[in-house]
Amino acid sequence: QVQLAESGGGSVQSGGSLRLSCAASGFTYNTYCMAWFRQAPGKEREVVAAIGSNGSPGYAEHAKGRFTISLDNAKRTLYLQMDSLKPDDTAIYSCALRNGYCPGSWSFPKVFPHWGQGTQVTVSP
């Protein structure tokens, strides 16, 4: 049974920082891809960033230069360092997992079969 558990969300002022974590368990994939998605109230879920167990990270345009995704393979834990936060970053942030390498379609939620429960990020003006 695959389980993903996010933590590290909270409320910050514009320009502040947060570091999210996602602890994964219950899988034995030799190679895998993990990603962060976010969903604001009334909006579609959108990708933030993705990273493979042995590959380079990919970022959505809104995250470039401000967010950093990383993966601790030994701990099976995914991280997202978020700096220079804006009110538009307010959303529920969820981590996702799939077996194998990150596909070219990594920005689409449907390619990830496993999801965490999400953690709330709120950025005030």
Side-chain angles (χ1 to χ4, degrees), residues 85-105:
L85 284 162
K86 310 172 182 178
D88 285 349
D89 296 319
T90 296
I92 295 175
Y93 285 70
S94 302
C95 67
L97 167 71
R98 64 167 282 151
N99 65 316
Y101 296 102
C102 290
S105 56

Side-chain angles (χ1 to χ4, degrees), residues 49-97:
I51 189 169
S53 54
N54 68 340
S56 299
Y59 295 92
E61 189 65 31
H62 66 79
K64 291 180 180 177
R66 299 189 300 126
F67 296 178
T68 303
I69 190 171
S70 60
L71 177 64
D72 187 325
N73 288 312
K75 299 183 184 299
R76 296 290 198 270
T77 300
L78 180 72
Y79 302 94
L80 184 68
Q81 177 67 42
M82 304 188 294
D83 299 317
S84 302
L85 284 162
K86 310 172 182 178
D88 285 349
D89 296 319
T90 296
I92 295 175
Y93 285 70
S94 302
C95 67
L97 167 71

Side-chain angles (χ1 to χ4, degrees), residues 6-71:
E6 301 97 335
S7 61
S11 182
V12 298
Q13 186 174 292
S14 294
S17 298
L18 285 172
R19 184 173 66 247
L20 307 182
S21 299
C22 172
S25 63
F27 71 97
T28 57
Y29 310 140
N30 291 326
T31 59
Y32 54 97
C33 176
M34 298 190 73
W36 289 100
F37 289 79
R38 68 184 187 182
Q39 187 167 27
K43 297 184 178 180
E44 293 285 305
R45 180 174 291 159
E46 65 176 357
V47 71
V48 178
I51 189 169
S53 54
N54 68 340
S56 299
Y59 295 92
E61 189 65 31
H62 66 79
K64 291 180 180 177
R66 299 189 300 126
F67 296 178
T68 303
I69 190 171
S70 60
L71 177 64

